[in-house]
Amino acid sequence: AVSFYEQAAKLDCADAEYELAQLYQAGVGVAKDEKKAAYYFELAAMLEHAEAQNAIGDCFYYGQGVPRNYKKAVYWYQEASLENYPPALTSLALCYDYGQGVDQDIEKARHLYQVAARQGYRHGQFCLGYFYERHEEIKYYAYRSSYWYKQASKQNEVQAMIALGYFYETGFGVKKNQNKAFQLYQKAAALNYVPAMCNVAYCYETGIGTEVDIKQAIHYYQQAAIEGYPRAMCNLAYLYEFGIGTTQD
């Protein structure tokens, strides 16, 4: 596959350049090489390949294979956004939201998040929910935030599940329902989202939305701790220190 992609790339085939970049980025069929990945992403981007434009934007944003450069990231996100490509719209919104590579513009960020979210892009929906959560000055901000977290959660966006779960746990933007909170944490944990594992553990430890079950709490803390999650490590250490539900150690 690599040799054919390389031959097609030499003939300025944007799709081949994009696919070749992904192989180098992941190290599939070739040695992993972020510089080569960025090189081929940029070649495809210059041929107006929206996914490649977004990908090279990410390279510049995170400094993968190229020096970090927010202005160049914004340029490529803007190019991809001309095609209404939802990931690029969301990334561009984040740049305007936090003033990275452009002057901060909250209203422009909000508009871009909305365009991505209304296309059904789940990460855009999560980001819009988080945007509203942070802006108390916007009318009905809590309701708007919970609405978009719900939309993203329906598509298994794990960050949205955690956020919505916290809303149900505390009664922020929704009617308080700790059973729903626990269920959302469980669902996200089942999708291997480590912070959710820790939340499930804490629910079992303290009886939030479920019966207290220290053995289950320890199990989920251990799962999250194995993945290097600090809060889980700390809580697990506390249980061992005082011998809560386990032999003191």
Side-chain angles (χ1 to χ4, degrees):
V2 174
S3 63
F4 285 113
Y5 281 140
E6 287 176 334
Q7 291 175 48
K10 289 177 182 178
L11 298 173
D12 292 332
C13 174
D15 285 338
E17 289 165 345
Y18 177 71
E19 294 298 332
L20 192 55
Q22 288 192 302
L23 294 179
Y24 276 113
Q25 188 176 58
V28 176
V30 291
K32 186 173 181 178
D33 190 328
E34 290 187 342
K35 288 185 178 180
K36 282 189 176 180
Y39 170 76
Y40 282 110
F41 278 139
E42 192 159 20
L43 286 182
M46 289 188 290
L47 294 172
E48 300 182 354
H49 191 290
E51 290 171 282
Q53 290 169 336
N54 181 68
I56 189 60
D58 284 344
C59 290
F60 280 116
Y61 186 89
Y62 294 106
Q64 296 174 339
V66 291
R68 175 173 280 180
N69 188 318
Y70 289 135
K71 288 186 177 180
K72 286 186 177 181
V74 167
Y75 170 79
W76 285 115
Y77 290 149
Q78 287 174 328
E79 290 297 299
S81 293
L82 294 175
E83 302 297 323
N84 274 329
Y85 186 56
L89 290 163
T90 303
S91 295
L92 184 58
L94 284 164
C95 291
Y96 277 110
D97 197 354
Y98 294 98
Q100 296 173 314
V102 288
D103 292 333
Q104 189 175 39
D105 189 331
I106 299 303
E107 281 307 311
K108 193 155 191 174
R110 179 184 183 181
H111 169 71
L112 290 164
Y113 285 138
Q114 287 174 330
V115 175
R118 288 169 181 166
Q119 289 186 57
Y121 180 53
R122 66 181 188 177
H123 187 61
Q125 292 172 337
F126 163 72
C127 288
L128 183 56
Y130 186 56
F131 173 87
Y132 282 125
E133 183 182 350
R134 292 181 290 113
H135 289 279
E136 298 181 14
E137 74 280 5
I138 297 175
K139 192 174 182 180
Y140 307 126
Y141 77 101
Y143 167 77
R144 292 172 189 264
S145 179
S146 66
Y147 172 81
W148 286 110
Y149 283 154
K150 287 176 184 176
Q151 300 310 305
S153 294
K154 290 175 184 176
Q155 299 190 71
N156 291 340
E157 172 62 55
V158 289
Q159 289 176 283
M161 291 178 191
I162 288 290
L164 184 59
Y166 182 74
F167 279 18
Y168 278 116
E169 183 181 334
T170 60
F172 182 83
V174 293
K175 186 177 179 180
K176 188 173 181 177
N177 187 326
Q178 294 189 334
N179 288 332
K180 279 189 177 181
F182 179 65
Q183 289 166 10
L184 283 162
Y185 297 150
Q186 278 188 312
K187 188 175 180 182
L191 293 169
N192 298 317
Y193 188 49
V194 175
M197 296 175 190
C198 190
N199 283 18
V200 170
Y202 186 74
C203 288
Y204 275 123
E205 181 186 355
T206 59
I208 296 174
T210 186
E211 296 294 322
V212 171
D213 188 331
I214 300 300
K215 287 185 178 179
Q216 283 282 28
I218 290 172
H219 168 74
Y220 279 99
Y221 279 142
Q222 287 175 331
Q223 293 298 107
I226 288 169
E227 299 298 326
Y229 195 60
R231 186 163 68 94
M233 294 177 184
C234 183
N235 291 1
L236 186 59
Y238 179 85
L239 296 180
Y240 278 118
E241 181 182 0
F242 293 99
I244 300 172
T246 186
T247 304
Q248 190 173 25
D249 187 354

